[in-house]
């Protein structure tokens, strides 16, 4: 066995603790040798893995949860690709891009997906885990002799491959890029297809805008367009669906398939929306492990098999279980909803709302009962967030009333930042929401803290959290409060697949346990089918006019949405997850012929 000890530099704070890791280490106390010590600059601790006995005492004693120690099989060291310094993250193996097919990469945040892309695109030279002498390309390539990855890395080392990358974090582009969108795209148009790409991504109205005026979704589309305009033979897209609604996700999926020419080039996509990943890729690699500690790239699977194995939590080619629970998607027909009263928790008339800018919103009358989760879907700029503000009493409609108003509501806003929290630390905010949230014997602690993995973050300051950590805290903070109705606006933003599933289960459990209700705005259609009892569909012209149905049965509501999007969806027979049919396929033609865009009937 090989011992991997990782110390998170952001969490380790020797100046603010009593050096428990050093003081309590049994190897250190034996005074024969040292397993834990301070770095020369005293900024953090260092664990000498050869001397560590793996007792785990330092892991438990560290007040900041900065230490992780795991034991891995020796044979993994043969495929060690990269390590980020002493006591840093380790990556084993790499996804293998292939000509003629689009490769998808899935896995948890912090498991090595972005690192893999940096290596495959030539942005990062792998060090094979060595910190003293940098290995040469010949040694790196020999590690993969006899595999397709050997041929790819040989081309990369020789400069034969020209790679272009759409980065994961697009906010940095706003700080670096200046000027109008049109000018920037014209500068990078090496293929002479600017007009075609702009049309395919529906960017005509964005061309005259300055970069600092773009929304998150508009900036995402601009960066995708820039990648598609480059003349390259390896295209990498790191989370291209972030900030985009379901309509735009389908649009960019089609554009990527059209302009990257996978039959001639290498195309790799990292994405957490499994429906879009399934729609656009031919093969899938699962990167599994312990986030922030180590990651292992699986063998490539066909897209259908790879996603199903991932959801089942077992990879047969590796004989590896990566999750305790299997995830199954199904339409839940609720026949035992506990309705202690004969009236709904909230009810509204036909609503008409107008902004001074001229945007109009029309919503059919409806109601939500206790024990129900109602999801809201539709394009951006169509009035979904406005509707939540109307129901919560923040906005007053031009006509129509809230007939039954819940006595209390709890809202998770669309934009999550440290400013929405009143306390400095994660623990203090959860305690302010509910004392039960921090009681280890409470079911609320299990659902909100353990399931969402906030237990390691309790002492962290809110302004130190990443986007995904802030999102999970916002969800937990909202659901911990006592309320009749919970509003959650885009709770899956910044989250990986595992975290999205955890959030969906948490919402479901809290609503059922408390006997309350939730309204969830979400763009991830797969997540909606997992958590929702009913669905409200919004459509219209963004920023001009929006219309919405009342809460509908999912089979009816999603059928309306998919007809509007002009796509058909079937259910996978193994996991019951929704899958988008390929354009022009036999299944698509058959479903459209009978008007069944959402074929998700229970078997």
């Amino acid at each position: 066995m090989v011992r991997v000890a990782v110390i998170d530099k952001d969490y380790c704070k020797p100046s603010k603790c009593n050096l428990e890791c050093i003081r309590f280490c049994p190897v250190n106390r034996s005074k024969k040798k040292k397993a834990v010590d301070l770095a020369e600059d005293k900024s953090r601790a260092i664990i000498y893995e050869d001397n560590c006995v793996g007792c785990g005492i330092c892991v438990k004693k560290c007040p900041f949860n900065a230490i992780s120690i795991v034991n891995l099989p020796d044979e993994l060291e043969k495929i060690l690709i990269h390590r980020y310094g002493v006591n840093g993250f380790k990556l084993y193996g790499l996804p293998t891009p292939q000509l003629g097919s689009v490769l998808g990469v899935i896995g948890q945040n912090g498991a090595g997906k972005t690192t893999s892309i940096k290596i495959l695109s030539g942005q990062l030279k792998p060090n094979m885990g060595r910190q003293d002498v940098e290995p040469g390309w010949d040694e790196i390539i020999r590690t993969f002799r006899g595999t397709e990855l050997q041929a790819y890395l040989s081309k990369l080392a020789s400069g034969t491959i020209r790679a272009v990358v759409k980065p994961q974090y697009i906010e940095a582009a706003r700080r670096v890029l200046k000027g109008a969108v049109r000018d920037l795209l014209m500068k990078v148009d090496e293929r002479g297809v600017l007009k075609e790409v702009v049309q395919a991504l529906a960017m005509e109205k964005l061309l005259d805008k300055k970069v600092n005026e773009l929304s998150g979704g508009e900036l995402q589309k601009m960066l995708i367009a820039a990648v598609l305009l480059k003349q390259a033979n390896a295209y990498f897209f790191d989370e291209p669906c972030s900030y985009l609604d379901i309509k735009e996700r389908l649009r960019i999926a089609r554009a990527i398939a059209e302009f990257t020419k996978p039959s001639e080039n290498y195309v790799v996509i990292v994405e957490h929306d499994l429906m879009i990943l399934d729609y656009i890729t031919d093969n899938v690699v699962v990167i599994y492990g312990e986030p922030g500690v180590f990651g292992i790239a699986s063998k490539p699977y066909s897209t259908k098999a790879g996603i199903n194995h991932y959801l089942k939590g077992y990879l047969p080619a590796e004989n590896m279980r990566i999750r305790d629970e299997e995830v199954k998607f199904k339409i839940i027909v609720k026949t035992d909803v506990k309705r202690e009263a004969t009236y709904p928790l909230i009810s509204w008339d036909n609503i008409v709302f107008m902004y001074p800018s001229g945007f109009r919103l029309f919503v059919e009358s409806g109601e939500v009962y206790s024990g129900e989760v109602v999801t809201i879907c539709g394009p951006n700029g169509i009035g979904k967030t406005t509707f939540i503000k109307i129901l919560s009493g923040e906005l007053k409609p031009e006509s129509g009333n809230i007939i039954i108003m819940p006595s209390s509501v709890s809202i998770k806003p669309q934009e999550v930042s440290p400013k929405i929290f009143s306390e400095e630390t994660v623990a203090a905010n959860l305690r302010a929401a509910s004392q039960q949230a921090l009681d280890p014997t409470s079911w609320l602690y299990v659902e909100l803290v353990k399931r969402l993995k906030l237990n390691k973050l309790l002492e962290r300051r809110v302004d130190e959290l990443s986007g995904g950590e802030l999102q999970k805290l916002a969800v937990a903070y909202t659901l911990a409060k006592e309320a009749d109705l919970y509003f959650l606006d885009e709770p899956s933003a910044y989250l990986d697949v595992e975290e999205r599933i955890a959030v969906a289960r948490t919402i479901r459990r809290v609503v059922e346990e408390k006997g309350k209700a939730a309204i969830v705005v979400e763009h991830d259609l797969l997540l909606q089918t997992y958590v929702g009892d009913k669905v409200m569909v919004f459509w219209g012209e963004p920023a001009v006019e929006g219309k919405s149905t009342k809460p509908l049965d999912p089979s009816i509501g999603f059928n309306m949405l998919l007809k509007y999007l002009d796509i058909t969806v079937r259910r996978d027979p193994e996991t019951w997850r929704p899958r988008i049919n390929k354009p022009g396929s036999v299944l698509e033609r058959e479903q459209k012929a009978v008007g069944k865009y959402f074929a998700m009937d229970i078997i």
Side-chain angles (χ1 to χ4, degrees):
M1 298 291 285
V2 61
R3 190 160 290 115
V4 179
V6 173
I7 297 178
D8 193 308
K9 297 176 183 178
D10 296 328
Y11 289 16
C12 184
K13 302 173 183 177
S15 61
K16 296 183 180 180
C17 71
N18 295 316
L19 303 179
E20 287 88 348
C21 58
I22 296 174
R23 290 170 48 228
F24 288 97
C25 174
V27 178
N28 285 10
R29 296 179 73 175
S30 71
K31 297 184 179 179
K32 294 180 180 179
K33 52 186 177 180
K34 278 194 172 184
V36 192
D37 202 357
L38 275 182
E40 289 184 7
D41 59 3
K42 300 187 184 302
S43 63
R44 67 185 183 94
I46 291 178
I47 296 177
Y48 303 111
E49 293 169 336
D50 291 339
N51 295 339
C52 176
V53 295
C55 63
I57 291 176
C58 59
V59 177
K60 296 176 181 177
K61 291 292 184 180
C62 178
F64 302 112
N65 293 301
I67 303 173
S68 298
I69 298 177
V70 296
N71 294 319
L72 296 174
D74 288 328
E75 54 264 29
L76 275 178
E77 292 299 303
K78 297 176 184 177
I79 57 169
L80 175 58
I81 298 299
H82 193 76
R83 187 167 199 184
Y84 286 103
V86 177
N87 296 144
F89 173 84
K90 275 187 168 184
L91 176 65
Y92 295 96
L94 280 173
T96 306
Q98 295 177 331
L99 288 174
S101 64
V102 179
L103 179 67
V105 181
I106 53 177
Q108 291 179 271
N109 286 333
K113 301 187 301 299
T114 298
T115 298
S116 298
I117 280 187
K118 287 181 178 179
I119 293 172
L120 291 172
S121 63
Q123 295 179 0
L124 176 67
K125 185 179 180 182
N127 59 22
M128 313 304 285
R130 298 213 302 263
Q131 308 301 317
D132 47 0
V133 181
E134 184 181 274
W137 273 110
D138 289 341
E139 181 185 346
I140 295 170
I141 293 168
R142 275 199 307 272
T143 305
F144 297 97
R145 59 181 176 270
T147 68
E148 291 183 75
L149 202 51
Q150 179 188 20
Y152 180 87
L153 292 175
S154 298
K155 293 179 183 177
L156 186 67
S158 64
T160 307
I161 288 179
R162 188 196 178 193
V164 59
V165 180
K166 199 294 291 181
Q168 177 184 15
Y169 297 109
I170 66 172
E171 290 82 1
R174 203 188 304 275
R175 297 191 295 269
V176 176
L177 300 176
K178 306 295 179 183
V181 172
R182 186 193 306 275
D183 297 335
L184 291 170
L185 292 182
M186 287 178 67
K187 287 180 182 178
V188 300
D189 184 15
E190 300 172 349
R191 301 169 62 189
V193 291
L194 176 59
K195 182 179 179 181
E196 292 82 354
V197 169
V198 166
Q199 185 176 2
L201 294 175
M203 293 178 59
E204 292 86 353
K205 294 181 180 179
L206 307 183
L207 295 178
D208 295 321
K209 283 189 175 183
K210 304 287 186 184
V211 173
N212 59 7
E213 298 172 349
L214 299 178
S215 67
E218 291 169 340
L219 182 61
Q220 182 78 275
K221 289 208 293 183
M222 187 197 82
L223 294 178
I224 291 170
V227 169
L228 296 178
L229 292 170
K230 289 274 191 178
Q231 187 69 53
N233 46 20
Y235 294 89
F236 296 87
F237 298 87
D238 200 346
E239 298 189 23
C241 290
S242 300
Y243 303 100
L244 299 177
D245 59 49
I246 180 64
K247 186 175 182 180
E248 293 298 335
R249 292 180 185 192
L250 287 165
R251 195 193 303 276
I252 65 108
R254 289 164 179 159
I256 289 173
E258 178 182 355
F259 290 99
T260 57
K261 297 182 178 179
S263 60
E264 304 172 10
N265 303 309
Y266 297 101
V267 183
V268 179
I269 299 174
V270 174
E271 182 51 56
H272 295 307
D273 187 331
L274 294 184
M275 284 188 69
I276 297 299
L277 196 75
D278 187 12
Y279 181 66
I280 193 175
T281 61
D282 302 295
N283 298 295
V284 161
V285 166
V286 179
I287 296 187
Y288 60 97
E290 187 171 332
V293 181
F294 73 95
I296 305 171
S298 76
K299 294 178 174 60
Y301 295 92
S302 70
T303 297
K304 176 184 175 181
I307 293 178
N308 285 353
H309 294 328
Y310 181 70
L311 292 174
K312 289 178 180 180
Y314 177 72
L315 303 177
E318 287 75 18
N319 190 25
M320 178 64 65
R321 178 151 293 284
I322 61 173
R323 192 188 309 106
D324 294 332
E325 299 179 59
E326 180 179 350
V327 178
K328 272 207 169 187
F329 294 84
K330 50 188 170 183
I331 300 301
I332 303 171
V333 180
K334 300 195 70 160
T335 57
D336 56 346
V337 177
K338 297 179 181 178
R339 292 181 181 167
E340 298 178 359
T342 56
Y343 54 86
L345 287 177
I346 188 169
S347 175
W348 61 91
D349 279 330
N350 290 331
I351 288 175
V352 178
F353 179 84
M354 291 186 65
Y355 277 114
S357 62
F359 175 77
R360 302 181 301 276
L361 175 64
F362 304 91
V363 182
E364 286 184 21
S365 61
E367 61 278 323
V368 180
Y369 290 87
S370 62
E372 283 186 340
V373 177
V374 175
T375 59
I376 294 177
C377 58
N380 285 330
I382 212 74
K384 302 186 300 297
T385 300
T386 297
F387 176 60
I388 283 183
K389 291 180 177 180
I390 292 171
L391 292 189
S392 64
E394 186 178 339
L395 294 177
K396 186 173 178 60
E398 300 294 321
S399 65
N401 296 303
I402 309 301
I403 302 171
I404 299 173
M405 176 67 79
S407 57
S408 58
V409 299
S410 181
I411 304 172
K412 188 208 83 68
Q414 183 180 25
E415 299 289 337
V416 176
S417 72
K419 296 179 181 178
I420 71 173
F421 301 102
S422 57
E423 307 294 334
E424 286 188 356
T425 67
V426 172
N429 279 291
L430 291 174
R431 189 178 294 109
S434 171
Q435 290 288 339
Q436 274 191 314
L438 291 181
D439 179 3
T441 63
S442 167
W443 68 270
L444 203 58
Y445 176 85
V446 174
E447 290 299 323
L448 300 183
V449 179
K450 294 285 284 184
R451 189 186 290 278
L452 299 185
K453 297 183 179 178
L454 295 174
N455 48 315
K456 289 188 175 182
L457 307 176
L458 292 176
E459 301 308 318
R460 291 280 306 279
R461 289 174 55 88
V462 171
D463 55 12
E464 297 175 346
L465 300 180
S466 67
E469 291 167 343
L470 269 177
Q471 187 71 264
K472 290 191 291 183
L473 174 59
V475 170
Y477 180 73
T478 302
L479 295 175
K481 293 180 178 179
E482 280 300 321
D484 286 335
L485 189 58
Y486 297 94
F487 294 100
L488 298 111
D489 201 345
E490 298 190 29
S492 75
Y494 305 106
L495 302 184
D496 61 38
V497 178
E498 300 276 342
E499 292 168 331
R500 293 180 186 198
I501 292 168
V503 164
R505 285 175 167 167
T506 295
I507 295 170
R508 182 85 261 160
R509 175 74 193 281
V510 170
V511 165
E512 291 177 349
E513 192 71 26
K514 290 187 175 183
K516 305 302 182 181
I519 296 179
V520 181
V521 176
E522 185 51 62
H523 292 308
D524 190 332
L525 193 60
L526 185 139
L527 183 65
Q528 287 206 13
T529 63
Y530 187 85
V531 73
D533 300 305
K534 291 183 179 177
V535 60
M536 295 181 66
V537 181
F538 280 68
W539 74 95
E541 186 177 350
V544 178
E545 181 179 280
K547 296 180 181 180
S548 170
T549 67
K550 62 183 179 181
L552 299 169
D553 180 89
S555 60
I556 299 173
F558 286 127
N559 203 67
M560 291 180 62
L561 174 68
L562 297 176
K563 187 174 183 179
Y564 168 70
L565 297 174
D566 194 32
I567 60 173
T568 59
V569 169
R570 69 191 186 281
R571 183 174 65 184
D572 182 83
E574 292 184 45
T575 60
W576 293 7
R577 64 183 172 90
R579 301 185 66 196
I580 301 175
N581 294 322
K582 300 290 183 184
S585 66
V586 174
L587 279 172
E588 183 185 64
R589 295 198 303 270
E590 288 177 351
Q591 287 183 216
K592 282 186 175 181
V594 295
K596 202 168 190 177
Y597 288 76
F598 187 69
M600 296 286 287
D601 299 328
I602 293 177
I603 297 174

